[in-house]
């Protein structure tokens, strides 16, 4: 086990992002920024039915239009193989059907053809000129799920005791059903592929959160050896999970490039992104809680359903946090999927836990009200000593401290539980205040990663890894880690990411990229220093002739004798130059925790969300005014980007609670609000005042750094805390997100489908 002494000092949180200047000056190259010589543009043709068959596809007019090089479809694109099954973090994709594989349409907007032309405008015109004739079949995009229609019998995710019997006899009970809508990832950068086939090798500029997996999947589907595929993703305008795994447009662009022998660019339009590149599926969750009159939980049942597409079995996994959140002797959590005529769902920030905690943490609030008990007190009373699901101790759990610190910062001692009893003062005078609290958690893992660190003869260092920066700050974090280890300023460190030519790196997902890469980078840095010592002591041009590597130490970018005489210190660049060597190169590796056998601990991050809403009954105006969030995320390696992650997640949580929902028209299956005007996202004007606190307790079971990730946990629990605050202000309990003004005015829900 790791010891305290291996924990490196925390990096300087006030350092700005090292990639900031590249981004604000427009020099950062995003996938669709690549314009290659002779490049063609591809525009897909999307099905205008949600279920049925293509009986005829007339491309004759489109193919004859100016500039058009090809119109591909089921009959002429050529063989695209199937990828998978997954092995580790290879071979993963959510929509498994190769594009154009058959003439069956299973969701609105499914690609049925693609036009490739000299210009984007010509390709768009040609795509519009393709005439598809369909034989439509009945569709189902209903948001009402029943267990009877589940694909298979529900999966038992957690089970202990006899929950049915315990619930039956429990003195105080809650039995409610909660719903979260389909949510579409809306990173501002559109999904895109620029594919370049040179006769043997593919170079693919992809919007991907996982270049290594993309390389593997694309190689499998294109039917070529993996070393013939290079995937590049240097900058991403975020992804939120939507860009974790490849989508059909990537294979279409690559195949078109191979067929035509020219580079092909395909940018997925915003409206297509509501159909063809995943979404968080709708969930419907029944939660039953049973408790004693003094607030001890005796039974917890959490049975969830989510929709998936007609072919792929995507499970949201709403029980992710259910089994270990509270101490309760009788528990069952199940999940099942139902089929709908929608595109295949995928991971969205905090998959499973985020919608799951909306349900369970809303139910805990309802239970507190039924018990006439403070909602924080209820949670404190049911704090578990161990993970009762896995029967393992937690690697590090400070949920109680999150609640105490949050209550203190938020001012919870002033809380009065009666609905509408709290009134604003000062700027908030005339408004009713609503206060709500919720707990949150997220998995804490890491995975295998390799890295390379080079000390170069020009006095700079270069660190490289085939992971990505999706906007979370990976460039900055790695620059800081190397800066600290080497004693160099950040402007003498180059960080190279997002290219499968580099050493194997982790997916930018699960909040584990940072914790996965850093051990590999530190190992590589130490190995580079070892190489440098060898170079410094060997051969006639060695800087330290007659010395041995064991006599040397490294600090402030210099090598010196261990005897303490600082006058002997020589900059590493001078040592390499004198020896006529380009670089001292170290390779490093981190094993990661994910999937490791014989796990002795339950590994999670925790947090507490405190929310204040303001409510103006006269005008039905609701705002989230203030959020205090306390995160137990292990040691925080770099506070500035970490805080940035939590703030962004809280803003996303406001959207989840109040705005975001993809609506499918029940008649045609079309996502009708498929644009940034009608799909409402939180804007600056909607963003609350956010106070982020990190407890910063190192989790040394997880890794020597004590660090857990923070990309996702900030979103968990926010929607429940908002719904709880809304109930406190208005007396209306909304169990179906998003919370609409109509709900608060007592108007009947007029939800589509
Ligand atoms: Mo995250 S949903 O694992 O990109």
């Amino acid at each position: 086990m790791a010891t305290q002494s291996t924990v490196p000092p925390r990096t300087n949180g006030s350092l700005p992002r090292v990639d900031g200047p590249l981004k604000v000056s427009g020099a950062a190259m995003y996938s669709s920024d690549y314009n290659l010589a002779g490049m063609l543009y591809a525009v897909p043709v999307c099905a205008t039915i949600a279920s049925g068959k293509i009986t005829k596809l007339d491309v004759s007019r489109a193919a004859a239009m100016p500039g058009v090089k090809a119109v591909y479809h089921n009959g002429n694109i050529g063989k695209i193989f199937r990828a998978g099954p997954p092995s580790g973090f290879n071979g993963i994709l959510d929509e498994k059907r190769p594009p154009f594989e058959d003439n069956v349409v299973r969701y609105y907007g499914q690609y049925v053809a693609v036009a490739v032309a000299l210009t984007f405008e010509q390709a768009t015109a040609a795509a519009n000129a393709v005439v598809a004739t369909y034989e439509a079949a009945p569709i189902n995009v209903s948001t009402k799920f029943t267990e009877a229609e589940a694909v298979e019998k529900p999966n038992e995710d957690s089970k202990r005791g006899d929950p049915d019997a315990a619930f039956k006899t429990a003195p105080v009970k809650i039995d409610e059903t909660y719903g979260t809508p389909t949510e579409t990832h809306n990173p501002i950068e559109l999904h895109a592929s620029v594919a370049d086939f040179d006769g043997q090798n593919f170079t693919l500029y992809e919007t991907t959160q996982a270049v290594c997996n993309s390389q593997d999947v694309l190689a499998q589907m294109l039917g070529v050896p993996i070393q013939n595929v290079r995937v590049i993703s240097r900058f991403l305008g975020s992804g939120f999970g939507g860009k974790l795994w490849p989508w059909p447009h990537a294979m279409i662009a690559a195949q078109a490039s191979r067929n035509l022998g020219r580079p092909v660019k395909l940018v997925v339009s915003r409206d297509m992104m509501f159909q063809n590149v995943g979404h968080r599926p709708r969930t419907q969750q029944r939660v039953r809680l049973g408790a004693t009159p003094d607030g001890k939980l005796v039974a917890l049942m959490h049975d969830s359903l989510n929709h998936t597409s007609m072919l792929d079995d995507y499970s949201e996994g709403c029980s992710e946090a259910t089994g270990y959140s509270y101490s309760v002797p009788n528990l069952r959590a199940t999940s099942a999927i139902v089929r709908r005529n929608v595109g295949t769902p995928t991971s969205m920030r905090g998959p499973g836990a985020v919608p799951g905690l909306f349900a369970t943490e809303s139910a805990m609030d309802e239970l507190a009200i039924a018990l006439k008990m403070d909602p924080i007190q209820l949670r404190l009373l049911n704090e578990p000593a161990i993970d009762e699901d896995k029967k393992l101790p937690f690697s590090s759990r400070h949920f109680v401290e999150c609640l105490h610190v949050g209550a203190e910062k938020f001012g919870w001692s002033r809380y009065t539980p009666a609905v509408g009893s709290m009134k604003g003062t000062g700027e908030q005078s005339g408004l009713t205040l609503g206060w709500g609290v919720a707990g949150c958690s997220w998995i804490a893992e890491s995975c295998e990663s390799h890295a390379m660190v080079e000390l170069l003869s020009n006095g700079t260092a270069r660190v490289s890894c085939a992971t990505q920066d999706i906007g979370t700050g990976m460039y900055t974090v790695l620059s800081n880690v190397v800066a600290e280890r080497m004693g160099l300023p950040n402007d003498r460190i180059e960080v190279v990411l997002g290219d499968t030519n580099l050493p194997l790196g982790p997916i930018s997902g699960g909040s584990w990229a940072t914790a996965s890469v850093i051990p590999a980078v530190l190992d590589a840095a130490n190995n580079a220093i070892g190489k440098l010592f060898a170079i410094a002591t060997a051969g006639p041009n060695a800087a330290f002739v007659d010395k041995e590597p064991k006599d040397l130490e490294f600090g402030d970018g210099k090598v010196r004798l261990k005897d303490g005489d600082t006058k002997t210190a020589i900059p590493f660049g001078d040592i390499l130059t004198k020896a006529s060597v380009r670089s001292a190169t170290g390779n490093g590796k981190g094993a990661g925790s994910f999937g490791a056998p014989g796990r002795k601990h339950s590994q999670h991050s925790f947090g507490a969300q405190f929310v204040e809403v303001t409510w103006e009954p006269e005008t039905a105006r609701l705002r989230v005014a203030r959020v205090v969030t306390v995160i137990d995320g292990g040691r925080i390696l770099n506070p500035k980007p970490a805080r940035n992650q939590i703030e962004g997640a809280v803003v996303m949580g406001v959207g989840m609670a109040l705005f975001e929902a993809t609506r499918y028209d029940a008649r045609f299956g079309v996502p009708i609000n498929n644009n940034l005007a009608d799909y409402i996202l939180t804007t600056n004007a909607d963003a609350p005042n956010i106070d982020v606190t990190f407890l910063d307790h190192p989790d040394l079971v997880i890794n020597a750094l004590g660090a857990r990730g923070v990309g996702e946990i900030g979103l968990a629990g926010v929607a429940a805390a908002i719904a709880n605050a809304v109930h406190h202000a208005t007396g209306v309990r909304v169990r179906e997100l998003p919370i609409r003004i109509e709900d608060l005015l007592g108007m009947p829900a007029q939800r589509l489908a």
Side-chain angles (χ1 to χ4, degrees):
M1 199 180 121
T3 58
Q4 188 76 39
S5 64
T6 60
V7 181
R10 187 157 67 182
T11 54
N12 181 352
S14 65
L15 269 177
R17 288 175 183 247
V18 296
D19 52 342
L22 282 176
K23 286 186 168 175
V24 297
S25 66
M29 291 291 279
Y30 294 80
S31 299
S32 65
D33 290 336
Y34 287 88
N35 292 312
L36 310 179
M39 190 178 76
L40 303 171
Y41 293 82
V43 172
V45 180
C46 294
T48 55
I49 61 167
S51 177
K53 278 196 182 111
I54 308 162
T55 53
K56 188 164 177 246
L57 195 71
D58 183 358
V59 303
S60 54
R61 195 163 76 84
M65 287 170 71
V68 175
K69 294 293 169 190
V71 181
Y72 293 118
H73 48 80
N74 163 278
N76 66 353
I77 190 144
K79 179 71 181 169
I80 304 178
F81 295 85
R82 282 189 169 249
S87 137
F89 287 96
N90 280 333
I92 307 175
L93 77 170
D94 280 325
E95 181 168 339
K96 297 185 182 62
R97 171 186 177 271
F100 310 145
E101 191 185 49
D102 54 28
N103 67 349
V104 183
V105 175
R106 298 175 179 89
Y107 63 90
Y108 187 96
Q110 181 185 314
Y111 301 139
V112 298
V114 63
V116 189
L118 291 173
T119 69
F120 174 68
E121 291 74 15
Q122 289 169 331
T124 303
N128 288 336
V130 171
V131 183
T133 310
Y134 301 103
E135 186 185 304
I139 69 165
N140 183 357
V141 291
S142 171
T143 56
K144 307 268 184 305
F145 302 161
T146 63
E147 220 165 86
E149 59 175 333
V151 173
E152 286 174 354
K153 84 176 188 12
N155 186 60
E156 199 170 82
D157 303 324
S158 296
K159 173 78 197 288
R160 56 183 181 261
D162 186 347
D164 292 293
F167 181 73
K168 211 168 170 185
T169 56
V172 185
K173 297 180 209 199
I174 296 295
D175 181 357
E176 298 292 351
T177 297
Y178 303 84
T180 63
T182 299
E183 288 179 272
T184 298
H185 317 69
N186 270 292
I188 289 306
E189 183 202 23
L190 302 172
H191 286 241
S193 286
V194 176
D196 185 14
F197 182 69
D198 69 3
Q200 180 176 7
N201 297 305
F202 288 93
T203 304
L204 306 172
Y205 300 90
E206 298 285 340
T207 49
T208 177
Q209 296 174 227
V211 288
C212 296
N213 176 70
S214 263
Q215 176 193 36
D216 183 72
V217 168
L218 270 297
Q220 291 181 45
M221 296 187 78
L222 297 165
V224 299
I226 194 164
Q227 55 274 21
N228 291 20
V229 176
R230 179 182 180 194
V231 174
I232 294 169
S233 175
R234 295 218 167 88
F235 289 94
L236 275 161
S238 199
F240 304 114
K243 293 171 181 167
L244 270 172
W245 321 123
W247 294 101
H249 68 270
M251 304 103 203
I252 291 173
Q255 191 78 338
S257 175
R258 174 158 61 186
N259 289 346
L260 293 164
R262 291 171 69 163
V264 171
K265 177 187 287 193
L266 193 162
V267 179
V268 180
S269 63
R270 183 63 61 181
D271 57 320
M272 290 178 203
M273 279 175 51
F274 282 78
Q275 305 155 172
N276 305 78
V277 290
H279 56 267
R280 194 201 297 280
R282 169 168 170 72
T283 73
Q284 188 180 296
Q285 308 173 51
R286 182 177 180 191
V287 180
R288 279 169 280 185
L289 299 178
T292 61
D294 57 359
K296 184 72 200 73
L297 284 171
V298 293
L300 192 168
M301 285 181 270
H302 183 194
D303 300 299
S304 66
L305 294 160
N306 70 261
H307 79 212
T308 183
S309 56
M310 300 314 282
L311 292 180
D312 297 300
D313 294 348
Y314 177 86
S315 174
E316 177 69 12
C318 291
S319 326
E320 203 277 315
T322 308
Y324 61 82
S325 286
Y326 297 110
S327 175
V328 49
N330 305 290
L331 177 143
R332 186 183 68 224
T334 70
S335 53
I337 52 177
V338 301
R339 298 217 182 276
R340 291 293 182 266
N341 291 106
V342 297
T344 300
T346 195
S347 297
M348 182 192 270
R349 204 174 199 170
V354 163
L357 283 162
F358 166 68
T360 54
E361 287 298 293
S362 291
M364 284 294 278
D365 198 64
E366 299 205 53
L367 179 63
I369 291 166
L371 291 162
K372 297 190 172 40
M373 178 177 273
D374 182 276
I376 297 175
Q377 188 56 28
L378 175 64
R379 288 170 173 86
L380 295 175
L381 261 175
N382 291 286
E383 173 68 7
I386 61 162
D387 177 335
E388 296 177 0
D389 184 41
K390 297 195 182 74
K391 309 211 171 18
L392 292 173
F394 292 103
S395 60
S396 168
R397 171 171 166 137
H398 300 278
F399 178 53
V400 166
E401 188 180 344
C402 290
L403 289 168
H404 285 313
V405 170
E408 177 65 30
K409 293 204 125 194
F410 191 77
W412 193 263
S413 59
R414 301 199 309 277
Y415 176 70
T416 57
V419 166
S421 63
M422 296 182 70
K423 302 295 177 194
T425 56
E427 275 181 16
Q428 293 180 323
S429 70
L431 303 175
T432 301
L433 305 184
W435 283 10
V437 62
C440 65
S441 68
W442 180 242
I443 51 176
E445 294 284 355
S446 58
C447 63
E448 183 182 346
S449 179
H450 298 209
M452 180 188 281
V453 170
E454 295 164 274
L455 293 165
L456 296 160
S457 59
N458 65 5
T460 68
R462 180 181 187 271
V463 51
S464 57
C465 176
T467 187
Q468 322 53 225
D469 190 333
I470 64 168
T472 45
M474 184 62 87
Y475 281 107
T476 306
V477 168
L478 293 191
S479 183
N480 288 350
V481 167
V482 175
E484 218 154 80
R485 180 66 187 90
M486 298 300 183
L488 290 177
N490 289 72
D491 62 6
R492 280 168 62 193
I493 297 160
E494 185 189 13
V495 184
V496 187
L497 306 174
D499 186 336
T500 51
N501 278 0
L502 304 172
L504 174 86
I507 66 168
S508 296
S511 300
W512 62 47
T514 300
S516 304
V517 179
I518 288 179
V521 168
L522 288 173
D523 186 35
N526 291 337
N527 290 335
I529 290 167
K531 280 273 180 59
L532 180 70
F533 288 176
I535 293 163
T537 52
N541 292 322
F544 294 88
V545 272
D546 302 333
K547 299 290 177 194
E548 289 187 44
K550 66 172 171 53
D551 303 325
L552 305 179
E553 64 184 11
F554 191 93
D556 296 328
K558 294 173 184 161
V559 178
R560 60 181 175 243
L561 289 174
K562 269 186 187 161
D563 64 15
D565 183 356
T566 51
K567 289 198 296 291
T568 64
I570 304 175
F572 69 83
D574 295 356
I575 293 168
L576 295 168
T577 301
K578 185 157 189 269
S580 198
V581 170
R582 173 191 168 265
S583 73
T585 299
N587 294 298
K589 191 175 163 182
S593 64
F594 190 76
R599 195 70 75 84
K600 292 192 178 65
H601 293 87
S602 167
Q603 303 183 176
H604 303 274
S605 286
F606 298 92
Q609 310 279 7
F610 290 77
V611 166
E612 176 178 282
V613 300
T614 59
W615 169 239
E616 211 177 334
E618 297 81 359
T619 57
R621 188 176 162 88
L622 177 77
R623 291 184 63 87
V624 179
R626 188 160 74 92
V627 177
V628 169
T629 172
V630 183
I631 300 296
D632 167 24
R635 185 175 193 80
I636 301 303
L637 294 169
N638 199 325
K640 194 168 189 169
R643 180 175 307 276
N644 198 214
Q645 282 300 304
I646 303 300
E647 289 170 345
V650 168
V651 168
M652 197 166 168
V654 173
M656 179 181 175
L658 302 184
F659 307 124
E660 292 196 44
T662 305
R663 305 294 192 192
Y664 297 94
D665 184 302
R667 298 162 301 172
F668 309 110
V670 54
I672 51 171
N673 56 341
N674 60 359
N675 57 75
L676 292 181
D678 296 317
Y679 184 91
I680 313 296
L681 293 161
T682 314
T683 65
N684 273 338
D686 305 304
N689 188 317
I690 303 168
D691 179 346
V692 180
T693 302
F694 292 111
L695 295 186
D696 211 26
H697 298 303
D699 184 341
L700 296 171
V701 169
I702 285 196
N703 56 45
L705 305 163
R708 306 193 288 235
V710 290
E712 285 154 286
I713 182 147
L715 175 57
V718 175
I722 292 173
N724 298 343
V726 166
H727 177 269
H728 182 227
T730 67
V732 180
R733 173 62 61 177
V734 183
R735 302 186 185 92
E736 183 73 53
L737 294 182
I739 298 167
R740 307 162 317 141
I741 294 305
E742 292 90 325
D743 297 321
L744 305 183
L745 294 174
M747 291 164 65
Q750 291 184 349
R751 296 175 190 277
L752 286 158

